[in-house]
Amino acid sequence: MPVPEVADSFSGSVTKITLGAAKAGGGTRTSTITVGGSRNVVYGGAPDNAGERPVIAMDVLDICPDDWPDALVEPYKDVLGNPVAWAKKCVNEFGADLICIKFDGIHPDKGDKDAEQAVKVTQDVLKAVGVPLVLWGSGNADKDNQVMPKVSQAAKGENCLVGTVTQDNYKALTAIALADGHCLITHAPLDINIAKQINILVSDMGFPLEKIVTFQATGALGYGMEYAYSIQERQRLAALGGDKMMAMPVICDVGYEAWRAKEAKLVDAPAGWGTVQDRGPMWEATTAICLLQAGANIIRMRHPTAVAAVKNFIQQIWQ
Amino acid sequence: MILIGERINGMFTDVKQAIADKNKKVIQDLAQRQTQAGATYLDVNVGTAAADQEGTIQWLVETLLNSAPLNKKTDEEILYKYMEMAEKAGPKANLIALAMDKNGVPQDTDTRVAIAAEILQKALERGFETQRLFIDPIVLPVKVPNAQTQPAIILAAMDQIRLLADPPPHMTVGLSNLSQGAAERSLINRVFLAMAMSHGLDSAIADVFDENLMNAVATCDMLMNRQIYSDSFLKVYATANKK
């Protein structure tokens, strides 16, 4: 059967956004990353309209995680609790395009670290690696409002991607990200109407639309992935239809979500499930690859085997 | 929704005066304000403002310079000429075609559809993409004797016209004409606009300064799932969709 030629053309496109600032741009990054720019659905139409290839941001935590399964601890066992060595390992050994510092440690329930510690981690990682950074808060609104503005200031001029801001808590971080020249992640709880609203709210504060990346929340394989998938798909179609409030590139948090899945980490599983060493990375890679097909631009990931599989996939598709 | 700003028309006294005084500022100001209010195109119409129609339209277009002309003509001989002009003006130039002929404005559904079919047929023969055509089924003032049957007839015509070609042509109306001389003009305009949008209307020559009308457009687009709902959907409509 002949493959039909898909020749739809659209009036809009996904915004192109560059992360990281090299010396010429007032920062210290040795590389920058550009995502977005698609003028068609994923894999639809001419290669010229495909936009920039998606990238992987590897997670580095500001504290030593105490709840990671063994299969995930294994590749990092010599660097957990040492964000500098951890970030270097991700960049030098695993080929991370970006490093995402996840400030779990500032959360009141997970260590309640202060801003001083978070600022130090940020500065140390900035010195240790040359890739652009994603700076991601703990999810506790009060603590994030105390700490993340200081983290933002510590990385001023580096054009990091900071977040996340929500409909109920966006003012403090939006203002400081604007002042410090960063890009911003707007966060909605798997709700496309709120996703649009939060973009309107931050743009009302004068934050430029072309410096926003959206996070729709992520569901892993078996845990609501189809919701994230369909929302991202709808976001892409809105962007192509010319809706400027939905035209931003998309970030997904696959690493955290995939490794929360019982199937990814269950040790004494039925024989047919395969070994736990393989299962987790496969769960993570499968989730990532599915969401790439819905139009994700930046994927947060954890296990190096999964990262390698997804990089290989991207390499083959975006030749 | 593709909105065409109606205000640069010699029927309005301020425009008529500006034409008489050769006052460019008034025209340019109207152009700018209508664009900001959400107009994609501007209707430029001498109306009854000057005896020298040709010279005046030239002056108006020169005054506006970067406006994209939508050329409105009815006579079938002239249709070819205008298609040619639209082709010359580049791939973004579209054409408004009125569903009327030498016998005037049709009073029924079938004649409107037949004229639209003829226009589409001629466009297809000449390789003029149907998506560059804006078919105007012609709205008459509802207050004119016996014209109250027309709105329903126009909606029925639009249902059929959009099935005539794939992709279908755009459909537009000169909306304000509907309420000419009537009370509650703004209300009449926006209610009919909402009705027509549900029958495939995707453009209108309208008063883009009418905030209630613009809110009705935004709400229709949202209800028809062409715009993603957000709590600020009214506020962002014009800005979110600027090309």
Side-chain angles (χ1 to χ4, degrees):
Chain A
M1 200 181 99
V3 179
E5 195 180 331
V6 182
D8 267 344
S9 68
F10 297 95
S11 60
S13 62
V14 178
T15 313
K16 214 178 232 195
I17 179 169
T18 296
L19 302 172
K23 208 167 181 184
T28 62
R29 303 300 81 205
T30 54
S31 63
T32 62
I33 289 287
T34 302
V35 291
S38 312
R39 292 188 294 273
N40 210 320
V41 292
V42 184
Y43 314 134
D48 291 353
N49 291 334
E52 302 292 327
R53 67 170 57 196
V55 295
I56 294 170
M58 289 187 74
D59 282 0
V60 169
L61 272 53
D62 60 337
I63 49 162
C64 183
D66 56 11
D67 55 353
W68 280 20
D70 292 344
L72 187 53
V73 166
E74 176 60 27
Y76 296 110
K77 57 179 188 277
D78 51 338
V79 296
L80 291 181
N82 180 350
V84 165
W86 187 345
K88 279 185 172 168
K89 193 177 184 88
C90 287
V91 173
N92 299 334
E93 290 180 35
F94 306 143
D97 299 306
L98 301 151
I99 289 296
C100 175
I101 306 180
K102 177 72 172 77
F103 291 97
D104 268 3
I106 65 175
H107 196 287
D109 301 340
K110 293 185 191 165
D112 207 15
K113 303 277 184 199
D114 58 14
E116 202 181 327
Q117 154 94 4
V119 164
K120 186 171 187 312
V121 169
T122 308
Q123 287 168 334
D124 289 349
V125 173
L126 274 169
K127 282 193 204 113
V129 296
V131 299
L133 298 191
V134 183
L135 305 169
W136 196 298
S138 67
N140 178 285
D142 290 341
K143 201 63 194 291
D144 284 353
N145 284 343
Q146 280 175 38
V147 175
M148 292 309 287
K150 294 188 175 124
V151 167
S152 166
Q153 277 172 323
K156 184 170 183 163
E158 297 286 0
N159 191 24
C160 298
L161 181 57
V162 303
T164 60
V165 298
T166 64
Q167 189 178 19
D168 303 320
N169 183 41
Y170 64 94
K171 288 183 179 158
L173 196 51
T174 301
I176 196 80
L178 185 61
D180 295 336
H182 296 309
C183 298
L184 190 66
I185 305 168
T186 58
H187 179 176
L190 285 173
D191 183 319
I192 197 155
N193 306 123
I194 293 174
K196 187 165 175 176
Q197 186 66 10
I198 174 68
N199 290 338
I200 295 165
L201 292 173
V202 301
S203 83
D204 276 353
M205 284 183 70
F207 202 89
L209 293 175
E210 56 278 10
K211 292 200 81 170
I212 296 173
V213 170
T214 59
F215 175 53
Q216 306 286 9
T218 302
L221 174 64
Y223 293 83
M225 182 174 68
E226 56 276 34
Y227 292 101
Y229 188 102
S230 63
I231 284 178
Q232 279 165 212
E233 199 171 44
R234 197 158 166 224
Q235 177 177 2
R236 169 66 65 92
L237 290 172
L240 297 176
D243 188 340
K244 297 262 187 290
M245 291 297 168
M246 294 304 289
M248 299 78 181
V250 174
I251 189 166
C252 290
D253 181 7
V254 168
Y256 169 71
E257 292 294 341
W259 286 94
R260 279 171 78 191
K262 174 185 73 189
E263 293 83 348
K265 57 191 178 190
L266 192 65
V267 178
D268 47 357
W273 286 27
T275 69
V276 73
Q277 284 78 15
D278 292 337
R279 214 184 312 125
M282 281 169 73
W283 212 266
E284 188 179 1
T286 306
T287 304
I289 287 168
C290 284
L291 292 172
L292 281 173
Q293 295 177 52
N297 303 89
I298 307 168
I299 305 247
R300 274 180 58 195
M301 295 189 69
R302 290 191 167 167
H303 198 286
T305 305
V307 168
V310 174
K311 279 178 84 84
N312 182 34
F313 173 82
I314 294 171
Q315 185 73 28
Q316 288 185 47
I317 295 292
W318 269 266
Q319 274 173 357
Chain B
M1 192 69 177
I2 302 166
L3 289 163
I4 304 167
E6 69 174 10
R7 279 290 274 107
I8 304 177
N9 187 320
M11 302 288 273
F12 291 97
T13 47
D14 56 343
V15 175
K16 189 172 185 171
Q17 193 60 44
I19 289 172
D21 301 344
K22 289 268 183 281
N23 185 343
K24 290 190 176 185
K25 203 173 166 302
V26 171
I27 306 296
Q28 284 161 347
D29 181 54
L30 276 172
Q32 198 184 3
R33 280 167 50 219
Q34 289 188 104
T35 310
Q36 274 166 2
T40 307
Y41 294 102
L42 301 175
D43 182 26
V44 180
N45 198 325
V46 179
T48 55
D52 177 15
Q53 291 269 335
E54 205 172 310
T56 306
I57 190 75
Q58 196 169 345
W59 177 76
L60 281 172
V61 173
E62 278 168 8
T63 299
L64 297 166
L65 261 175
N66 50 6
S67 73
L70 263 172
N71 308 305
K72 185 169 173 177
K73 259 305 177 216
T74 54
D75 192 321
E76 59 179 20
E77 260 182 35
I78 297 178
L79 178 65
Y80 289 135
K81 194 172 159 193
Y82 272 80
M83 280 185 201
E84 211 172 283
M85 278 166 58
E87 288 290 7
K88 271 191 198 152
K92 281 189 174 172
N94 299 320
L95 197 62
I96 292 186
L98 305 182
M100 64 183 283
D101 58 16
K102 289 195 173 83
N103 301 320
V105 177
Q107 299 296 310
D108 61 346
T109 300
D110 291 350
T111 317
R112 282 187 167 92
V113 175
I115 294 172
E118 205 178 322
I119 292 167
L120 285 166
Q121 181 61 34
K122 283 178 175 145
L124 282 171
E125 277 167 16
R126 293 180 70 100
F128 192 86
E129 291 162 36
T130 50
Q131 276 182 306
R132 295 173 66 182
L133 278 175
F134 285 63
I135 305 275
D136 180 350
I138 310 190
V139 169
L140 297 168
V142 75
K143 203 187 173 186
V144 167
N146 302 323
Q148 247 180 286
T149 53
Q150 288 295 313
I153 286 171
I154 288 163
L155 297 181
M158 294 201 314
D159 283 339
Q160 294 182 41
I161 291 170
R162 65 178 159 168
L163 300 176
L164 291 174
D166 185 21
H170 293 283
M171 260 180 292
T172 195
V173 288
L175 185 66
S176 303
N177 200 33
L178 180 70
S179 60
Q180 201 71 255
E184 302 292 353
R185 292 201 62 181
S186 168
L187 178 65
I188 292 173
N189 290 346
R190 69 177 178 274
V191 170
F192 181 71
L193 188 75
M195 293 163 72
M197 282 178 78
S198 74
H199 287 259
L201 187 81
D202 65 349
S203 168
I205 304 171
D207 179 8
V208 294
F209 297 146
D210 181 345
E211 204 177 313
N212 286 329
L213 180 78
M214 296 303 280
N215 287 344
V217 171
T219 308
C220 282
D221 261 5
M222 184 275 290
L223 290 175
M224 295 181 80
N225 198 23
R226 289 195 287 251
Q227 289 295 320
I228 290 171
Y229 174 85
S230 69
D231 288 345
S232 301
F233 75 95
L234 287 183
K235 189 176 158 192
V236 296
Y237 183 76
T239 48
N241 299 292
K242 282 233 169 84
K243 297 284 184 283

